[in-house]
Amino acid sequence: MNLQEHTQPGQLERYSFFWSEVRLLIAAIALFLGGIPPVLFLFRVPSLYGLISLLLTLAWVISGVASGYLLYRWYGQKMLFGKKETMDTVAFFVLAISGLNLGLAGILRTNIGMSISSNRFVLIIVGLLYLASAGYLYKRWMESGRKVF
């Protein structure tokens, strides 16, 4: 396995984008469950809680790093999918800010987004926003020849 092959900007962009897309879907499910990570909802085994918690924290930190990388790449040209479209930017910032929030949650042990509101209606609306953003970004990615930047 050639590690250099996987650390090229194009590959890092692709991995970060896919990670963030999947994270938006999982985060939406978590919000629909009332803010409970689906893995904790599915695996209620007390003896595995430590391992699950560690892996969840690691996934959150990776989400923050992936979002930070995507923001870094965006900042250089402020274009997505070869254009400067307002909807692209809005959906991208939903993806990026939610990822940075999870990254901070992994480091600080406090989810800033969840501390703002845990109202069930708000969680459902934000979950729907995550799903809409993920779907829109994926559609735009496909239309642009599978390139984000």
Side-chain angles (χ1 to χ4, degrees):
M1 181 169 114
N2 184 0
L3 186 62
Q4 210 172 14
E5 185 179 308
H6 297 284
T7 57
Q8 297 300 311
Q11 282 299 96
L12 290 175
E13 171 191 314
R14 184 181 185 91
Y15 295 149
S16 296
F17 180 72
F18 280 136
W19 180 278
S20 298
E21 282 281 284
V22 171
R23 181 201 27 85
L24 276 178
L25 299 175
I26 294 170
I29 293 167
L31 292 172
F32 297 149
L33 293 172
I36 301 168
V39 69
L40 294 178
F41 189 80
L42 294 172
F43 301 103
R44 297 181 189 197
V45 181
S47 61
L48 292 178
Y49 182 75
L51 176 63
I52 291 171
S53 180
L54 176 68
L55 293 175
L56 196 54
T57 299
L58 180 61
W60 289 346
V61 171
I62 291 170
S63 294
V65 171
S67 291
Y69 180 74
L70 290 172
L71 278 169
Y72 167 76
R73 291 289 309 271
W74 171 82
Y75 186 74
Q77 56 200 7
K78 296 185 181 68
M79 270 188 359
L80 296 160
F81 314 113
K83 298 180 180 177
K84 286 190 177 189
E85 300 278 336
T86 302
M87 267 312 281
D88 292 353
T89 306
V90 169
F92 177 76
F93 270 89
V94 168
L95 176 139
I97 291 169
S98 64
L100 290 175
N101 175 60
L102 275 184
L104 286 173
I107 294 168
L108 303 176
R109 298 286 200 204
T110 300
N111 187 321
I112 297 166
M114 291 298 294
S115 66
I116 292 172
S117 177
S118 58
N119 177 291
R120 192 81 156 143
F121 179 73
V122 172
L123 296 181
I124 290 170
I125 296 299
V126 174
L128 291 172
L129 178 64
Y130 284 6
L131 291 178
S133 295
Y136 179 82
L137 290 169
Y138 185 76
K139 176 179 143 292
R140 292 290 293 128
W141 179 76
M142 292 294 286
E143 292 170 351
S144 71
R146 299 181 181 194
K147 298 255 187 240
V148 178
F149 304 104

mmCIF file of all heavy atoms in Angstrom, residues 39-40 42-56:
data_model
loop_
_atom_site.group_PDB
_atom_site.id
_atom_site.type_symbol
_atom_site.label_atom_id
_atom_site.label_comp_id
_atom_site.label_asym_id
_atom_site.label_seq_id
_atom_site.Cartn_x
_atom_site.Cartn_y
_atom_site.Cartn_z
ATOM 1 N N VAL A 39 -24.948 4.836 17.337
ATOM 2 C CA VAL A 39 -24.195 3.684 17.841
ATOM 3 C C VAL A 39 -24.544 3.412 19.310
ATOM 4 O O VAL A 39 -24.609 2.256 19.726
ATOM 5 C CB VAL A 39 -22.667 3.873 17.624
ATOM 6 C CG1 VAL A 39 -22.104 4.962 18.508
ATOM 7 C CG2 VAL A 39 -21.934 2.571 17.809
ATOM 8 N N LEU A 40 -24.791 4.448 20.081
ATOM 9 C CA LEU A 40 -25.187 4.253 21.483
ATOM 10 C C LEU A 40 -26.629 3.771 21.583
ATOM 11 O O LEU A 40 -26.996 3.067 22.523
ATOM 12 C CB LEU A 40 -25.012 5.553 22.282
ATOM 13 C CG LEU A 40 -23.588 6.042 22.467
ATOM 14 C CD1 LEU A 40 -23.573 7.361 23.229
ATOM 15 C CD2 LEU A 40 -22.735 5.003 23.177
ATOM 16 N N LEU A 42 -28.038 1.793 19.282
ATOM 17 C CA LEU A 42 -28.072 0.414 18.791
ATOM 18 C C LEU A 42 -27.365 -0.577 19.715
ATOM 19 O O LEU A 42 -27.807 -1.707 19.873
ATOM 20 C CB LEU A 42 -27.444 0.332 17.397
ATOM 21 C CG LEU A 42 -28.191 1.055 16.291
ATOM 22 C CD1 LEU A 42 -27.374 1.059 15.009
ATOM 23 C CD2 LEU A 42 -29.548 0.420 16.051
ATOM 24 N N PHE A 43 -26.242 -0.157 20.279
ATOM 25 C CA PHE A 43 -25.435 -1.063 21.099
ATOM 26 C C PHE A 43 -25.478 -0.640 22.555
ATOM 27 O O PHE A 43 -24.603 0.073 23.030
ATOM 28 C CB PHE A 43 -23.984 -1.095 20.595
ATOM 29 C CG PHE A 43 -23.855 -1.546 19.178
ATOM 30 C CD1 PHE A 43 -23.623 -0.643 18.154
ATOM 31 C CD2 PHE A 43 -23.995 -2.886 18.855
ATOM 32 C CE1 PHE A 43 -23.510 -1.057 16.842
ATOM 33 C CE2 PHE A 43 -23.888 -3.320 17.533
ATOM 34 C CZ PHE A 43 -23.647 -2.404 16.532
ATOM 35 N N ARG A 44 -26.470 -1.093 23.249
ATOM 36 C CA ARG A 44 -26.630 -0.754 24.666
ATOM 37 C C ARG A 44 -26.007 -1.833 25.540
ATOM 38 O O ARG A 44 -26.657 -2.416 26.393
ATOM 39 C CB ARG A 44 -28.108 -0.597 24.991
ATOM 40 C CG ARG A 44 -28.746 0.532 24.228
ATOM 41 C CD ARG A 44 -30.188 0.666 24.582
ATOM 42 N NE ARG A 44 -30.826 1.604 23.685
ATOM 43 C CZ ARG A 44 -31.973 2.171 23.915
ATOM 44 N NH1 ARG A 44 -32.636 1.894 25.007
ATOM 45 N NH2 ARG A 44 -32.477 3.007 23.055
ATOM 46 N N VAL A 45 -24.737 -2.075 25.309
ATOM 47 C CA VAL A 45 -24.003 -3.093 26.060
ATOM 48 C C VAL A 45 -23.045 -2.360 26.999
ATOM 49 O O VAL A 45 -22.057 -1.780 26.547
ATOM 50 C CB VAL A 45 -23.212 -4.025 25.104
ATOM 51 C CG1 VAL A 45 -22.470 -5.088 25.873
ATOM 52 C CG2 VAL A 45 -24.154 -4.628 24.066
ATOM 53 N N PRO A 46 -23.340 -2.356 28.294
ATOM 54 C CA PRO A 46 -22.510 -1.604 29.245
ATOM 55 C C PRO A 46 -21.018 -1.950 29.179
ATOM 56 O O PRO A 46 -20.171 -1.070 29.314
ATOM 57 C CB PRO A 46 -23.090 -1.975 30.609
ATOM 58 C CG PRO A 46 -24.496 -2.358 30.320
ATOM 59 C CD PRO A 46 -24.482 -2.992 28.962
ATOM 60 N N SER A 47 -20.678 -3.191 28.921
ATOM 61 C CA SER A 47 -19.266 -3.579 28.891
ATOM 62 C C SER A 47 -18.530 -2.993 27.679
ATOM 63 O O SER A 47 -17.306 -2.904 27.689
ATOM 64 C CB SER A 47 -19.126 -5.100 28.903
ATOM 65 O OG SER A 47 -19.746 -5.656 27.767
ATOM 66 N N LEU A 48 -19.264 -2.594 26.643
ATOM 67 C CA LEU A 48 -18.645 -2.006 25.450
ATOM 68 C C LEU A 48 -18.677 -0.481 25.458
ATOM 69 O O LEU A 48 -18.159 0.148 24.533
ATOM 70 C CB LEU A 48 -19.350 -2.515 24.190
ATOM 71 C CG LEU A 48 -19.181 -3.979 23.842
ATOM 72 C CD1 LEU A 48 -19.981 -4.315 22.587
ATOM 73 C CD2 LEU A 48 -17.720 -4.319 23.645
ATOM 74 N N TYR A 49 -19.283 0.113 26.479
ATOM 75 C CA TYR A 49 -19.464 1.562 26.483
ATOM 76 C C TYR A 49 -18.130 2.315 26.370
ATOM 77 O O TYR A 49 -18.020 3.281 25.636
ATOM 78 C CB TYR A 49 -20.219 2.016 27.737
ATOM 79 C CG TYR A 49 -20.456 3.499 27.728
ATOM 80 C CD1 TYR A 49 -21.425 4.051 26.898
ATOM 81 C CD2 TYR A 49 -19.677 4.363 28.497
ATOM 82 C CE1 TYR A 49 -21.629 5.417 26.848
ATOM 83 C CE2 TYR A 49 -19.879 5.727 28.458
ATOM 84 C CZ TYR A 49 -20.847 6.254 27.633
ATOM 85 O OH TYR A 49 -21.044 7.597 27.582
ATOM 86 N N GLY A 50 -17.096 1.853 27.077
ATOM 87 C CA GLY A 50 -15.796 2.526 27.025
ATOM 88 C C GLY A 50 -15.203 2.518 25.629
ATOM 89 O O GLY A 50 -14.717 3.537 25.138
ATOM 90 N N LEU A 51 -15.246 1.370 24.964
ATOM 91 C CA LEU A 51 -14.711 1.247 23.607
ATOM 92 C C LEU A 51 -15.533 2.082 22.630
ATOM 93 O O LEU A 51 -14.975 2.805 21.795
ATOM 94 C CB LEU A 51 -14.698 -0.219 23.165
ATOM 95 C CG LEU A 51 -14.252 -0.484 21.726
ATOM 96 C CD1 LEU A 51 -12.800 -0.042 21.526
ATOM 97 C CD2 LEU A 51 -14.427 -1.950 21.381
ATOM 98 N N ILE A 52 -16.852 1.989 22.745
ATOM 99 C CA ILE A 52 -17.727 2.760 21.853
ATOM 100 C C ILE A 52 -17.504 4.255 22.058
ATOM 101 O O ILE A 52 -17.416 5.015 21.092
ATOM 102 C CB ILE A 52 -19.204 2.376 22.068
ATOM 103 C CG1 ILE A 52 -19.449 0.948 21.555
ATOM 104 C CG2 ILE A 52 -20.134 3.361 21.377
ATOM 105 C CD1 ILE A 52 -20.808 0.382 21.906
ATOM 106 N N SER A 53 -17.377 4.675 23.293
ATOM 107 C CA SER A 53 -17.146 6.087 23.601
ATOM 108 C C SER A 53 -15.823 6.563 23.006
ATOM 109 O O SER A 53 -15.747 7.660 22.430
ATOM 110 C CB SER A 53 -17.156 6.287 25.113
ATOM 111 O OG SER A 53 -16.932 7.629 25.428
ATOM 112 N N LEU A 54 -14.796 5.746 23.117
ATOM 113 C CA LEU A 54 -13.490 6.093 22.549
ATOM 114 C C LEU A 54 -13.566 6.208 21.025
ATOM 115 O O LEU A 54 -13.080 7.180 20.441
ATOM 116 C CB LEU A 54 -12.451 5.035 22.937
ATOM 117 C CG LEU A 54 -11.059 5.212 22.324
ATOM 118 C CD1 LEU A 54 -10.380 6.454 22.889
ATOM 119 C CD2 LEU A 54 -10.226 3.977 22.580
ATOM 120 N N LEU A 55 -14.203 5.247 20.369
ATOM 121 C CA LEU A 55 -14.332 5.276 18.912
ATOM 122 C C LEU A 55 -15.206 6.441 18.448
ATOM 123 O O LEU A 55 -14.922 7.066 17.420
ATOM 124 C CB LEU A 55 -14.885 3.944 18.402
ATOM 125 C CG LEU A 55 -13.964 2.738 18.579
ATOM 126 C CD1 LEU A 55 -14.670 1.455 18.159
ATOM 127 C CD2 LEU A 55 -12.662 2.921 17.829
ATOM 128 N N LEU A 56 -16.240 6.743 19.208
ATOM 129 C CA LEU A 56 -17.110 7.871 18.889
ATOM 130 C C LEU A 56 -16.337 9.190 18.988
ATOM 131 O O LEU A 56 -16.424 10.044 18.100
ATOM 132 C CB LEU A 56 -18.307 7.868 19.842
ATOM 133 C CG LEU A 56 -19.519 8.689 19.495
ATOM 134 C CD1 LEU A 56 -20.040 8.367 18.109
ATOM 135 C CD2 LEU A 56 -20.608 8.443 20.537
#
